[in-house]
């Protein structure tokens, strides 16, 4: 199958490493959001029951972000990495993978939420809603998650390429 897709084990391994970094980043952002909600509302049963502060998008992030990151990371390593492993390029590719995953995730959120307009028959409304939600999610979601996922992507890419370099010696 990898011959058919023209990817190597290095590309797929980098995609899996990127997916692991994305899962860690999504978990940290979810944990931060969870404690920010309780810090504002207090630790009581009512605040636990009404925990809804953006939880759908954060929950989707826990599910979709690692899957999207595996695909984006594999493509980034396939397209931009040289044949010889280099940890510095790995860090750059990790940042590109993290930010690319953020924008693909934002587009998937915009697509999912605009489907209701498509099924209602309002194609122009669906396009507007897709663009609006994609930009909104990318800008504000990026402002919240980029400080977390960028260093994780750089570290994941660096460590992965360092491991490949040490493995080839």
């Amino acid at each position: 199958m990898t011959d058919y897709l023209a990817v190597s084990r290095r590309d797929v391994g980098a995609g899996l490493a990127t997916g692991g970094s994305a899962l860690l980043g999504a978990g940290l952002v979810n944990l931060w959001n969870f404690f920010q909600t309780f810090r504002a509302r207090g630790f009581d049963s009512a605040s636990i029951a009404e925990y809804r502060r953006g939880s759908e998008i954060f929950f989707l992030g826990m599910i979709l972000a690692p899957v999207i990151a595996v695909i984006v990371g594999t493509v980034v390593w396939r397209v931009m990495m040289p044949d010889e492993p280099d940890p510095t390029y790995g860090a750059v590719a990790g940042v590109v993978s993290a930010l690319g995953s953020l924008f693909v995730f934002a587009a998937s959120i915009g697509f999912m939420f605009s489907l209701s307009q498509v099924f209602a028959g309002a194609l122009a409304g669906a396009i507007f809603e897709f663009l609006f939600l994609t930009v909104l999610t990318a800008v504000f979601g990026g402002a919240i998650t980029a400080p977390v996922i960028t260093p994780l992507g750089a570290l994941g890419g660096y460590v992965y390429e360092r491991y490949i370099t040490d493995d080839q010696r």
Side-chain angles (χ1 to χ4, degrees):
M1 183 70 169
T2 58
D3 293 336
Y4 175 74
L5 295 174
V7 295
S8 67
R9 289 184 180 196
R10 179 177 169 214
D11 301 337
V12 174
L16 291 173
T18 304
S21 296
L23 181 62
L24 178 62
L28 289 174
V29 169
N30 254 332
L31 194 63
W32 175 79
N33 185 52
F34 184 76
F35 283 112
Q36 286 298 324
T37 300
F38 288 129
R39 190 181 73 156
R41 295 182 182 168
F43 286 99
D44 62 355
S45 60
S47 64
I48 293 171
E50 59 190 28
Y51 170 67
R52 303 291 303 167
R53 190 171 139 192
S55 61
E56 291 86 8
I57 290 181
F58 286 115
F59 181 71
L60 282 172
M62 286 292 291
I63 295 172
L64 287 180
V67 174
I68 290 170
V70 167
I71 296 167
V72 170
T74 302
V75 169
V76 165
W77 250 261
R78 178 72 183 146
V79 171
M80 73 177 278
M81 290 300 290
D83 291 335
E84 293 298 316
D86 184 5
T88 306
Y89 283 135
V92 171
V95 170
V96 170
S97 296
L99 295 177
S101 297
L102 173 71
F103 288 113
V104 172
F105 177 73
S108 68
I109 292 295
F111 175 74
M112 285 190 288
F113 282 100
S114 67
L115 283 177
S116 64
Q117 295 287 333
V118 171
F119 293 133
L123 189 58
I127 293 171
F128 173 76
E129 189 167 351
F130 168 75
L131 292 174
F132 177 74
L133 287 174
T134 299
V135 170
L136 185 72
T137 305
V139 169
F140 290 109
I144 292 169
T145 60
V148 175
I149 65 171
T150 304
L152 283 175
L155 182 65
Y158 179 84
V159 168
Y160 179 75
E161 285 294 309
R162 181 70 180 211
Y163 174 76
I164 296 295
T165 303
D166 291 345
D167 192 40
Q168 286 185 351
R169 288 185 190 168

